[in-house]
Amino acid sequence: MTPGPFADDQVPFDLLRKRAFNLRWATLPPDVIPLTAADPDFAVAPPIRQAIADFALSGVYSYGPAEGLPDFRSACAAMVGRRKGLNVAPEQVLAVDSAAAGMLHVARLTIQPGDEAIVFDPVDFLFKAAVEAAGGTVRLLPVDARTGAIDLAALPGLLTPRTRLLGVCNPMNPVGRVLTPQELQVLGDFAVANDLWVLNDEIWSDIVYAPHRFTSLPTLSPAIAARCFTVYGFSKTFGLAGLRVGFVIAPTERTFAELLDVSLARTTMSGVSTLSQVAAIAACTSGWDWAGGFLSHLTRMRDLAVGALQAVPGVQVRAPEGTYVIFPRVADLGVDSERLCEALLTEARVAVVPGAARWFGPGAEGHLRVCVSTSEAVLTTGLQRLTDHLRRV
Ligand SMILES: Cc1ncc(COP(=O)(O)O)c(C=O)c1O
C-alpha cells in the first residue's frame, strides 16, 4: 500500500458519493466502483486546502480582473517556465474556467462556421465538441489505438482550403502516449507551413512516467510558438475539477486580446471564480510535493492495472507513457464496447468508459478506458471485477 495521502484509508468515500459526478461515485449505485472520468479519488494537497480556507475566511469576494488575478497569471507563467521550459510573460496568460472552456475559446477565435480542424482520432471528445460549438467540422488524423502511433503521413491529405486549426493532445488521452520531439516537430512544422493555429492541450503534461519526458510544443521554435494556443488545467494533476480552473497561453499580445474578447470575460458573462484562482496559485507554488507523491502512486497503479489486464486472454494492453488512463483493446472478445460496459456495470459492478465514437472518435472502437487514479484497494477490487468479467465474455 502507498503510504501517506494516497493510502487506502485516505479515500473519502462519503464525500465522493456526494460530490464526485461526471460518471463517478455520486452518479452510481453505492456498490459500483467507478474507474471512469479522469478525476482523482483523493483529497487535494494541504497547501491548496489552506489557501482556499484562508481566502474563504477573509470575507472579501469582489470582482476579479477579466484576464485573471495578477498573482494567478504570474504563478502560471512561472510554473510553465520552471516545469516545461516554456518562457511566457504573465500578460500572455488568460485565466479560464476549465481547460474545456479554454479549448472552446480557442476554437471560437480560430474557426468560423464552415471551417475545419484536424484532430487526433482517438482523442478526448472536447476537441470535436469545441470545434463544432464554433461552427466548424473536424477531420480525423488517425492514431493507432494499439500502439499510439500518429499517422503523420496522413496530415497533408487532410488539408483543405478551409483548414484553420490543428488539435494536439500531449500527452494523449486516451491512448497514453507522450509525443516525442520528432513528432511534435512534424506537427508544428505542418502548422507553420500551412498557416494553421494549434490548439495545444497540455493538461496531462505533469502525468508522465519515467523514462518518458514531456516536451512542450511551443518550445521547439519561435515560429511554432507563434501558432500555438496552449491550454492547461488543474483538474488532472491537482484534483481541482470541481473548481473549474485553467489557463490558456496566447502566442502574442494581439491574439491574447482577441482571445479575451471571444471568452466574454470582459463582459463578466464568463470568467473564473477568484477562489478557484487562489487554489490554482497554491497548486503552482506549493503543490508539487503532493503532485510528486501522486505520480509515484500512479506509477504503481498503472503497473497494477496493466499487469492485471495483460493476463486476460484476448485483451491487449500497453502501459501508458503519460496520463492515468489505461486503454485496453477488447475487440477480440467479440462484444461491442458499449454493451460490454453496460454488462460490466450491471453484472460486475464496475464502471469504465466505452471506446465509443461519442467519447473519443471512431478510432476508439473496440477499446475500454480505465482510470487508475484511486487507491490500491479500490483499484484492486475494480480490476478483479473487470478482469473476472472479461475472462467470462
Ligand atoms: C485532454 C483533455 N483536455 C481537457 C480536459 C478538460 O479538463 P477540465 O476539467 O480542466 O475542463 C480533459 C479532461 O478529461 C482532458 O482529458
Side-chain angles (χ1 to χ4, degrees), residues 203-222:
I203 193 170
W204 284 104
S205 52
D206 305 312
I207 312 294
V208 172
Y209 305 104
H212 302 283
R213 282 176 68 88
F214 173 74
T215 304
S216 178
L217 176 60
T219 63
L220 292 186
S221 75

Side-chain angles (χ1 to χ4, degrees), residues 228-277:
C228 287
F229 287 91
T230 295
V231 176
Y232 181 86
F234 293 87
S235 302
K236 308 302 164 193
T237 312
F238 296 104
L240 297 179
L243 296 191
R244 310 309 293 137
V245 57
F247 60 87
V248 181
I249 298 167
T252 58
E253 236 172 80
R254 178 159 159 217
T255 50
F256 177 86
E258 292 169 348
L259 189 68
L260 180 57
D261 277 343
V262 295
S263 79
L264 299 181
R266 280 195 217 271
T267 67
T268 69
M269 286 193 284
S270 88
V272 197
S273 140
T274 45
L275 179 62
S276 299
Q277 294 182 61

